[in-house]
Amino acid sequence: MSQHDVISIPPPPAQQPAHAPQDAGPDIWEYILILRRRMLLIVLTVLVAVGLTAFVTMRMTKIYRATVTLRIETQAPRVLGKDVENVVEMGTGSYWSNQEYYETQYKIIASRDVSARVVKDLKLNEDPEFMGVPEEERAGWKPVTIDKAASIMQDLLTVEPVKDSRLARIHVDHPDPARAQLYANAVAKAYLDKNLEAMLQGTVDAVDWLSKQLDDAKTKLSASESSLYGYKKDNDILSVSLEERQNMLTAQLEATAGKLGEARANRIAIQARKNAVAKVSSTGDPMAIPLDSLNNSPIIQNLKEEQVKLSQEYGELYERYGDNFPRIIEIKAKMKRIREDLTREVNNVLAAVDAELDAARATEAGLDQSLKDLTEQALEVNQKEMEYNRLAREKTNNEKVYEMLLGRTKEADLSKLLRVNNIEILDPALLPVSAIRPRMGLNLALAMVLGLILGVGLAITIEFADRTMKTQEDLEALGIAFLGIVPSISDVAAKSGSYAYAYGGTKPRKRKGKHAPVLEGKDGEAPNYDLFVHDYPKSQVAESCRAIRTNLLFMSPDKPARRILVTSPSPQEGKTTVAINVAIAIAQSGARTLLVDTDMRRPRIHRAFGLKPKVGISTMVLGESTFEESVVTTQVPNLHLLPCGPTPPNPAELMHTEAFERVIADLSARFDKLVFDSPPVAVVTDAAILSKLVDGTMLILKSLKTSRDMARHATNVLRDIGANILGGVLNDLDLENRKYGYYYYYRQKYGYYESEDKARDSANEAEQRPAAS
């Protein structure tokens, strides 16, 4: 047993885990390998998608686009100045109002009314080419309604606002570039005409309404003026205005009130003097009356002065001459006379004061009455002023309304005559020179992307829908041990570059792909796949077969299987090639090995060794040949061959005979190992019969060909008859797939050994000795 065999050996079945180590989550490399394997499908899908897209695109009708650029303002130009407002209001100036206005205009451009105007102007409802009528049907064709033709025109045009501007583009798409240009300009003109008509119609309606309102305002103004004039006439407000009259009354009230106050003060003063005089006169001494109380009368003042002088003189004479002095008597007489005169004069003054008081009272009463009269007149004027103001205010309001309506009517009349528009054709449509649809480059790019997506999807779907045997886990799911893998011999041969490399030569340049040219063998001939392990002992196939040999040894170290049956679920799965190469690997370990061809229905082993035998196991069972005549020594050391011989008509009955069992027993006694090649177990019963005569059965499953259902059926057949299934071998495995070629990947990780030295051969012999015993 060689060192690299030990590296490639998995644990014995009793200790082998149910599944090989694998990633916990999805392995991205698995998908990458799937895409590599299905690259042809992906490429074909992309090519078909691109080809179909190119074919369809080339057959599509070319569509040309004509474009008109409009400038849309929210207000028409104010030719009459900023003070003259437009009759028809557009945008208000706020952002959201303008947005609504522009969106409304875009909808108007694409409206049926604008399209109907175009249809009427160009008479498109009578144009069979516009209506899409085939030429052979135009003879009896009749014009359609304008609405129907307008619907077609609506489908041809689109409106595109230019971002961050007041511009809008009108696109018309049509197979005929000249018609596209004609229709685009016609749509723009129809929209401008409609907008101008809407503005003019609004202005005309406004003028009519303003005229009616102006007549009503004029009537109301005349009525209010007549009412105001009649009121002024009835209340004598024609010569002097009511305000002037009110001012005059106010001045009179103020003057009368002042005079009344003065008269009242004068009366009070006179009354006070009278009271003072009356109070002193009650004493009988007229000299005690104050002079100012008597209105400073000069007579009284003279009398009092004279009385004072006489009194002074009387006092002087009385002290000197006494009371009887003539001068004193004369003075007394004068003083008496003066007193009488003074009394009389005082009485006259009192009478005058009473008269003056009566006059003051009369004056006060007159002024008071005059003040009352003026107050009543002022109240009456105020009341008249209220009614006057009401009538004047009504007249003023009617006059303002009339003037406003008159001015607005004149402005509307001028606006109606101006015919200004807030829409302008900035760039008329030109004749398009290139089609906008179909876009070949874009369509092909999309087809390539979609084809790639579809191809990848199909590849992954097909891969996961594939129920063939591909991995060790698939084989262990059948409930049997995994003995190993056999790589695809054609792949191994192609990648080697030269089979001289198998004999220690220099490794040539690596070649990729299953379709690489098959390289020459030792003598310049194509390699013999059945003897590949013998011809190329350092190849990956040889390593794999030696690993299978070692696994068979470790299946039961104490009692190794000496008679091994090799079968498969169905034909064309490589069981014969595997049986030959495993037998060669066993023989290379030093064990005397006999390869028995028990596939009596389609025997092939003899051709692998270039033999044309006339005898074999069939003639031995029938007693027509001996052991020496039937068994052939091959070019492989320690490997002998017992061919099938002539194929019997009833192989199953032949295998049921005692003679067949005796032959098997005789062969077992002569050789260390017996390898039987049998027909597929799921096709005929030969393998089931042979499985009862051997120590164990090895099931060969071809990678990516043997279905899981067929493999399960084969194992169930063997279990039902109690056969000892040693395990399964995954044959013809694609070593480029890391997941499918687990052990190959394991070897690649650690490298191949460059030679097999004598120590390996000695180890193989040491391994064989206990097996033979």
Side-chain angles (χ1 to χ4, degrees):
M1 181 177 62
S2 64
Q3 185 177 0
H4 55 276
D5 283 338
V6 175
I7 292 175
S8 301
I9 295 173
Q15 301 175 355
Q16 186 172 342
H19 299 284
Q22 54 182 318
D23 296 335
D27 187 1
I28 187 64
W29 291 105
E30 177 181 354
Y31 290 98
I32 293 176
L33 293 176
I34 290 174
L35 298 182
R36 287 184 60 186
R37 286 194 300 273
R38 303 289 180 178
M39 184 58 67
L40 179 60
L41 173 63
I42 297 174
V43 171
L44 288 177
T45 304
V46 172
L47 292 178
V48 169
V50 172
L52 288 177
T53 303
F55 177 75
V56 173
T57 302
M58 292 176 64
R59 293 180 62 86
M60 291 176 62
T61 302
K62 291 184 178 180
I63 302 299
Y64 295 87
R65 168 169 289 183
T67 301
V68 177
T69 303
L70 302 178
R71 183 173 67 183
I72 304 175
E73 298 291 343
T74 55
Q75 295 290 341
R78 295 186 178 180
V79 181
L80 301 177
K82 296 182 179 180
D83 296 333
V84 179
E85 298 291 337
N86 293 326
V87 177
V88 180
E89 184 69 25
M90 304 296 182
T92 61
S94 65
Y95 174 78
W96 294 113
S97 176
N98 289 342
Q99 287 296 108
E100 293 177 357
Y101 171 75
Y102 281 111
E103 289 297 329
T104 302
Q105 296 305 307
Y106 303 150
K107 295 297 186 294
I108 292 175
I109 296 173
S111 65
R112 185 177 58 202
D113 183 57
V114 172
S115 297
R117 287 170 177 264
V118 176
V119 171
K120 291 179 183 178
D121 293 341
L122 303 179
K123 297 182 180 181
L124 297 179
N125 60 318
E126 302 175 4
D127 186 354
E129 184 176 356
F130 173 79
M131 298 303 300
V133 179
E135 294 185 2
E136 59 273 10
E137 299 178 6
R138 294 180 183 180
W141 183 80
K142 296 182 180 180
V144 299
T145 61
I146 293 178
D147 290 339
K148 186 175 181 180
S151 299
I152 297 177
M153 176 58 67
Q154 281 184 283
D155 296 336
L156 296 179
L157 69 90
T158 55
V159 182
E160 177 193 3
V162 180
K163 187 177 181 182
D164 299 331
S165 71
R166 298 182 179 182
L167 304 179
R169 296 190 180 100
I170 301 176
H171 305 299
V172 174
D173 300 339
H174 197 274
D176 185 353
R179 283 181 173 263
Q181 179 190 21
L182 175 64
Y183 298 160
N185 290 325
V187 170
K189 180 179 180 301
Y191 169 59
L192 262 67
D193 293 343
K194 176 179 174 57
N195 186 74
L196 183 59
E197 289 178 8
M199 294 178 63
L200 293 177
Q201 183 62 42
T203 304
V204 171
D205 294 341
V207 169
D208 294 340
W209 182 85
L210 287 172
S211 298
K212 294 179 182 179
Q213 297 299 318
L214 184 63
D215 294 339
D216 294 341
K218 185 176 182 180
T219 301
K220 291 180 180 179
L221 179 60
S222 299
S224 61
E225 289 177 342
S226 299
S227 298
L228 181 62
Y229 175 78
Y231 184 79
K232 292 173 67 176
K233 183 178 181 181
D234 295 340
N235 292 276
D236 194 20
I237 312 177
L238 298 176
S239 59
V240 180
S241 66
L242 196 62
E243 184 178 359
E244 292 178 355
R245 180 176 292 185
Q246 189 175 14
N247 293 335
M248 293 170 58
L249 287 174
T250 302
Q252 290 177 6
L253 281 172
E254 291 178 355
T256 303
K259 291 179 180 181
L260 179 61
E262 293 176 357
R264 186 173 288 117
N266 184 42
R267 178 187 59 78
I268 294 172
I270 295 172
Q271 184 68 42
R273 288 202 313 272
K274 179 182 178 182
N275 292 338
V277 173
K279 183 179 180 180
V280 177
S281 64
S282 62
T283 61
D285 185 7
M287 292 298 294
I289 300 174
L291 184 62
D292 57 354
S293 299
L294 299 176
N295 294 330
N296 296 318
S297 175
I299 298 174
I300 294 175
Q301 184 177 1
N302 293 331
L303 290 174
K304 288 181 73 176
E305 291 177 355
E306 188 176 356
Q307 178 70 16
V308 170
K309 291 179 179 180
L310 290 175
S311 294
Q312 291 178 353
E313 186 179 359
Y314 172 79
E316 294 176 357
L317 290 178
Y318 181 76
E319 291 180 357
R320 185 183 298 175
Y321 301 106
D323 188 43
N324 292 320
F325 186 70
R327 182 63 180 162
I328 292 176
I329 295 172
E330 183 181 359
I331 291 172
K332 285 183 178 180
K334 286 183 179 181
M335 291 178 64
K336 181 178 178 182
R337 190 173 55 252
I338 290 172
R339 187 177 298 275
E340 289 176 354
D341 292 339
L342 187 62
T343 301
R344 185 176 56 254
E345 191 64 30
V346 169
N347 290 332
N348 291 335
V349 170
L350 289 175
V353 169
D354 288 337
E356 185 180 359
L357 180 62
D358 291 340
R361 287 175 178 172
T363 300
E364 181 183 3
L367 291 173
D368 185 63
Q369 184 62 40
S370 177
L371 182 63
K372 290 181 180 179
D373 293 341
L374 290 174
T375 303
E376 290 179 357
Q377 291 179 17
L379 293 175
E380 184 179 358
V381 168
N382 288 337
Q383 186 176 5
K384 291 180 180 181
E385 182 183 19
M386 292 175 60
E387 181 65 18
Y388 175 81
N389 289 340
R390 185 187 68 80
L391 294 174
R393 185 169 56 250
E394 182 178 357
K395 179 253 183 184
T396 302
N397 291 337
N398 290 334
E399 188 175 13
K400 289 182 179 179
V401 170
Y402 176 77
E403 292 176 353
M404 180 187 68
L405 290 173
L406 180 60
R408 195 60 178 155
T409 302
K410 292 181 179 179
E411 292 176 359
D413 287 335
L414 291 175
S415 299
K416 181 174 65 175
L417 298 175
L418 287 176
R419 299 179 65 86
V420 293
N421 201 337
N422 64 313
I423 311 297
E424 177 189 0
I425 298 179
L426 189 62
D427 292 325
L430 301 177
L431 183 67
V433 296
S434 59
I436 62 166
R437 293 194 304 271
R439 301 173 63 180
M440 178 66 75
L442 178 61
N443 291 353
L444 293 181
L446 292 176
M448 184 176 296
V449 173
L450 294 177
L452 182 62
I453 294 174
L454 179 61
V456 171
L458 286 175
I460 295 176
T461 301
I462 292 173
E463 185 71 20
F464 284 99
D466 185 7
R467 292 185 54 79
T468 58
M469 304 295 293
K470 297 182 286 290
T471 64
Q472 176 181 348
E473 289 78 7
D474 295 339
L475 194 146
E476 290 177 344
L478 301 175
I480 60 177
F482 179 69
L483 297 177
I485 59 102
V486 175
S488 176
I489 297 178
S490 60
D491 286 348
V492 174
K495 288 195 302 179
S496 297
S498 173
Y499 290 111
Y501 168 61
Y503 292 93
T506 303
K507 184 175 181 179
R509 179 174 61 87
K510 181 178 180 181
R511 301 191 183 184
K512 298 182 179 180
K514 285 188 176 183
H515 300 286
V518 178
L519 302 180
E520 296 180 352
K522 294 180 180 180
D523 300 325
E525 299 177 354
N528 187 349
Y529 291 172
D530 294 330
L531 301 179
F532 201 84
V533 173
H534 173 67
D535 294 339
Y536 308 105
K538 291 185 179 181
S539 64
Q540 296 169 352
V541 177
E543 292 290 337
S544 299
C545 291
R546 283 191 287 270
I548 295 172
R549 176 198 67 191
T550 306
N551 288 337
L552 292 172
L553 174 64
F554 275 87
M555 291 292 296
S556 180
D558 297 333
K559 189 179 180 181
R562 297 181 59 235
R563 294 176 293 188
I564 301 172
L565 177 66
V566 180
T567 186
S568 63
S570 57
Q572 302 297 322
E573 296 193 47
K575 62 174 180 58
T576 301
T577 301
V578 174
I580 297 173
N581 283 286
V582 169
I584 293 173
I586 295 174
Q588 289 175 348
S589 67
R592 295 185 71 252
T593 306
L594 177 62
L595 179 60
V596 183
D597 190 356
T598 51
D599 187 355
M600 298 183 182
R601 300 179 185 272
R602 295 180 63 183
R604 194 180 66 82
I605 293 180
H606 61 279
R607 291 200 300 269
F609 290 90
L611 302 176
K612 296 181 180 179
K614 297 182 180 180
V615 294
I617 189 172
S618 61
T619 55
M620 286 184 64
V621 173
L622 297 175
E624 297 177 357
S625 63
T626 61
F627 170 81
E628 289 77 8
E629 295 173 343
S630 301
V631 175
V632 180
T633 301
T634 67
Q635 64 268 36
V636 181
N638 296 323
L639 179 63
H640 302 271
L641 172 64
L642 178 57
C644 173
T647 55
N650 50 354
E653 295 180 2
L654 183 64
M655 294 178 185
H656 271 299
T657 61
E658 294 182 358
F660 188 82
E661 295 181 3
R662 286 197 299 270
V663 170
I664 298 300
D666 181 54
L667 296 175
S668 300
R670 294 174 181 269
F671 293 93
D672 299 327
K673 297 285 186 178
L674 275 73
V675 178
F676 295 87
D677 180 28
S678 71
V681 65
V683 178
V684 292
T685 60
D686 300 7
I689 298 171
L690 288 171
S691 64
K692 300 297 292 182
L693 303 177
V694 297
D695 299 329
T697 301
M698 183 168 62
L699 193 62
I700 308 302
L701 306 173
K702 189 172 183 179
S703 173
L704 302 178
K705 182 178 183 299
T706 304
S707 66
R708 299 174 189 175
D709 298 332
M710 185 62 72
R712 185 174 293 105
H713 174 67
T715 55
N716 291 337
V717 170
L718 295 175
R719 286 196 182 100
D720 291 342
I721 61 175
N724 178 24
I725 303 176
L726 298 175
V729 174
L730 201 58
N731 183 34
D732 198 22
L733 184 67
D734 180 10
L735 294 180
E736 291 295 324
N737 191 323
R738 172 181 169 182
K739 188 173 182 64
Y740 297 166
Y742 176 79
Y743 292 103
Y744 169 70
Y745 169 73
Y746 186 86
R747 290 194 193 93
Q748 275 192 326
K749 185 175 181 180
Y750 292 99
Y752 286 105
Y753 290 93
E754 296 182 354
S755 64
E756 291 185 359
D757 51 14
K758 295 181 180 180
R760 172 186 172 186
D761 296 333
S762 300
N764 289 340
E765 292 176 1
E767 174 186 323
Q768 181 59 29
R769 290 192 192 100
S773 62

